[in-house]
Amino acid sequence: MDANLIPDIAGKLPLGETVDVLLRDCLDPKRLTSIFEQYRGRCYEKIIPFSLMVELIGDSLMSQSGSACRTFSLAQEAGELEASKVAAYCKLSRAPIPLSMAFFTECNQSLLDTFPRKAKRRPPKCLQKMETVILDGKVIKGVTKYAGPHSALRRCRFANA
């Protein structure tokens, strides 16, 4: 889809349809194939293409309460996943970090490009010295996930503050 048309379309559709249009554009199989080819490292696509893996993981997060096992089973029953569940899990575990980072970076940039210019603004002055840090949840299991009034995240001090 033409990137210039998306802001016009998104401004005229209800929220649910807008999200659907943006997701379909962002997760376009051609885009995913391009990302995979550029950042795949030693990975290969034999039975499970990268675009299918992204679709399955998205389905498990959106509709199966995070259960990849259930999603893989349903995909096997529907004939979408020809490999075993073990093969799908192994494929997921072997995905190189640069591929994951490129996937999120390029899809995020695609979504940012759809925002109108006036929506892009600088953060408040008090936050401009802070740096955004993206962390992998599997790596930082000890970090508190809830930032309530008594949590460790509320009590921590930022070096730049």
Side-chain angles (χ1 to χ4, degrees):
M1 179 179 285
D2 184 11
N4 296 327
L5 293 176
I6 293 176
D8 294 334
I9 293 171
K12 296 175 180 152
L13 294 175
L15 181 60
E17 289 180 52
T18 301
V19 169
D20 186 50
V21 167
L22 290 173
L23 273 176
R24 274 189 279 130
D25 179 62
C26 183
L27 301 178
D28 178 48
K30 289 179 185 176
R31 176 184 304 219
L32 296 177
T33 300
S34 171
I35 294 170
F36 179 79
E37 287 302 320
Q38 191 171 358
Y39 296 96
R40 68 187 182 98
R42 296 184 334 172
C43 288
Y44 57 90
E45 291 182 323
K46 191 171 186 179
I47 298 176
I48 308 173
F50 179 65
S51 58
L52 176 61
M53 186 57 72
V54 169
E55 182 182 333
L56 292 173
I57 297 304
D59 287 348
S60 71
L61 294 172
M62 301 286 264
S63 62
Q64 299 300 327
S65 303
S67 173
C69 182
R70 190 176 317 144
T71 302
F72 294 159
S73 295
L74 291 173
Q76 283 178 322
E77 291 171 11
E80 296 171 2
L81 180 62
E82 296 175 9
S84 68
K85 288 189 277 187
V86 172
Y89 278 115
C90 288
K91 179 92 167 186
L92 184 60
S93 71
R94 288 189 307 265
I97 291 175
L99 176 61
S100 298
M101 294 302 292
F103 167 71
F104 285 114
T105 301
E106 293 195 21
C107 290
N108 185 42
Q109 188 58 51
S110 169
L111 292 173
L112 285 174
D113 291 344
T114 63
F115 280 95
R117 291 265 185 240
K118 63 183 177 185
K120 296 177 183 177
R121 58 185 172 86
R122 294 179 51 92
K125 197 171 187 177
C126 63
L127 299 176
Q128 287 180 5
K129 291 183 181 180
M130 293 186 173
E131 182 180 339
T132 302
V133 178
I134 300 171
L135 303 170
D136 184 350
K138 289 182 180 180
V139 176
I140 58 163
K141 290 189 182 285
V143 174
T144 306
K145 291 183 169 87
Y146 172 69
H150 303 292
S151 73
L153 290 177
R154 289 267 186 201
R155 292 190 304 264
C156 71
R157 296 179 186 222
F158 296 96
N160 294 335

